[in-house]
Amino acid sequence: MKHADTPTRPSEATSQIPDVEVTLSVNGDAYRMRFDSRVTLLDALRDHLGLTGAKKGCDQGACGACTVLVDGKRIVSCLALAAQYDGHEITTVEGLTDNGEPHPLQKAFARHDAFQCGYCTPGQIMSAVSLEAEGCAGTDADICEFMSGNICRCGAYPNIRAAIRDVVSEGNDASV
Ligand code: FES
Ligand code: FES
């Protein structure tokens, strides 16, 4: 059991909202944490655990940059309260590598140059991992439709699609 740092913000010192104690299981490690019950899963990951792979783009569920897996299913972590996920299995982009070996989708994104600034990329990859598990990556139209919650401001969509198609068509196991 690991204990995470719990930074205190000035506003929290006077908050009347009681803290909650939660055990978050992230990338195979369990973290006993204590924080304000209003803390989002994204902020818990980034600010309390130092896992900055999931990005804060819009902070209102519209861009997909903060996508992580909970029990194997993708969610936007900026709209999720961390306290809801006590005991659930959370996977972030940092948890995709296997003994230092990048996930097939990570390799495909690099191979196809499927990014420019890279800000959306962790969310794109986490969504793509889930997409394959959902069996929704049959055609380019499917990939467009089911990746539509992940916005790329740089417009790397053709290369993102190519990377996903590559993994699917190669029959690689994209599960985690
Ligand atoms: Fe969560 Fe944009 S930061 S959807
Ligand atoms: Fe820049 Fe997608 S690579 S936002």
mmCIF file of all heavy atoms in Angstrom, residues 25-30 89-90:
data_model
loop_
_atom_site.group_PDB
_atom_site.id
_atom_site.type_symbol
_atom_site.label_atom_id
_atom_site.label_comp_id
_atom_site.label_asym_id
_atom_site.label_seq_id
_atom_site.Cartn_x
_atom_site.Cartn_y
_atom_site.Cartn_z
ATOM 1 N N SER A 25 -6.613 2.123 -6.988
ATOM 2 C CA SER A 25 -5.723 1.122 -7.561
ATOM 3 C C SER A 25 -5.365 1.582 -8.968
ATOM 4 O O SER A 25 -6.208 1.579 -9.861
ATOM 5 C CB SER A 25 -6.440 -0.230 -7.588
ATOM 6 O OG SER A 25 -5.608 -1.192 -8.177
ATOM 7 N N VAL A 26 -4.118 2.001 -9.121
ATOM 8 C CA VAL A 26 -3.706 2.612 -10.390
ATOM 9 C C VAL A 26 -2.504 1.854 -10.970
ATOM 10 O O VAL A 26 -1.466 1.733 -10.303
ATOM 11 C CB VAL A 26 -3.327 4.102 -10.194
ATOM 12 C CG1 VAL A 26 -3.036 4.763 -11.544
ATOM 13 C CG2 VAL A 26 -4.438 4.853 -9.471
ATOM 14 N N ASN A 27 -2.671 1.366 -12.164
ATOM 15 C CA ASN A 27 -1.594 0.649 -12.864
ATOM 16 C C ASN A 27 -0.990 -0.452 -11.992
ATOM 17 O O ASN A 27 0.229 -0.671 -11.977
ATOM 18 C CB ASN A 27 -0.498 1.634 -13.317
ATOM 19 C CG ASN A 27 -1.058 2.713 -14.227
ATOM 20 O OD1 ASN A 27 -2.023 2.500 -14.942
ATOM 21 N ND2 ASN A 27 -0.444 3.885 -14.198
ATOM 22 N N GLY A 28 -1.850 -1.106 -11.232
ATOM 23 C CA GLY A 28 -1.417 -2.254 -10.439
ATOM 24 C C GLY A 28 -0.950 -1.940 -9.030
ATOM 25 O O GLY A 28 -0.669 -2.849 -8.255
ATOM 26 N N ASP A 29 -0.850 -0.649 -8.697
ATOM 27 C CA ASP A 29 -0.447 -0.265 -7.335
ATOM 28 C C ASP A 29 -1.633 0.342 -6.596
ATOM 29 O O ASP A 29 -2.400 1.109 -7.187
ATOM 30 C CB ASP A 29 0.689 0.760 -7.362
ATOM 31 C CG ASP A 29 2.006 0.150 -7.795
ATOM 32 O OD1 ASP A 29 2.293 -0.991 -7.379
ATOM 33 O OD2 ASP A 29 2.731 0.801 -8.563
ATOM 34 N N ALA A 30 -1.763 0.012 -5.308
ATOM 35 C CA ALA A 30 -2.857 0.567 -4.499
ATOM 36 C C ALA A 30 -2.335 1.765 -3.711
ATOM 37 O O ALA A 30 -1.264 1.708 -3.106
ATOM 38 C CB ALA A 30 -3.392 -0.491 -3.554
ATOM 39 N N GLU A 89 -10.166 -0.674 -10.660
ATOM 40 C CA GLU A 89 -8.865 -0.802 -11.313
ATOM 41 C C GLU A 89 -8.723 0.284 -12.371
ATOM 42 O O GLU A 89 -9.442 0.279 -13.366
ATOM 43 C CB GLU A 89 -8.770 -2.192 -11.961
ATOM 44 C CG GLU A 89 -7.376 -2.629 -12.322
ATOM 45 C CD GLU A 89 -6.431 -2.675 -11.123
ATOM 46 O OE1 GLU A 89 -6.782 -3.272 -10.090
ATOM 47 O OE2 GLU A 89 -5.358 -2.077 -11.238
ATOM 48 N N ILE A 90 -7.803 1.189 -12.128
ATOM 49 C CA ILE A 90 -7.617 2.326 -13.035
ATOM 50 C C ILE A 90 -6.325 2.141 -13.823
ATOM 51 O O ILE A 90 -5.294 1.768 -13.250
ATOM 52 C CB ILE A 90 -7.553 3.640 -12.212
ATOM 53 C CG1 ILE A 90 -8.888 3.855 -11.481
ATOM 54 C CG2 ILE A 90 -7.219 4.839 -13.105
ATOM 55 C CD1 ILE A 90 -8.776 4.708 -10.246
#
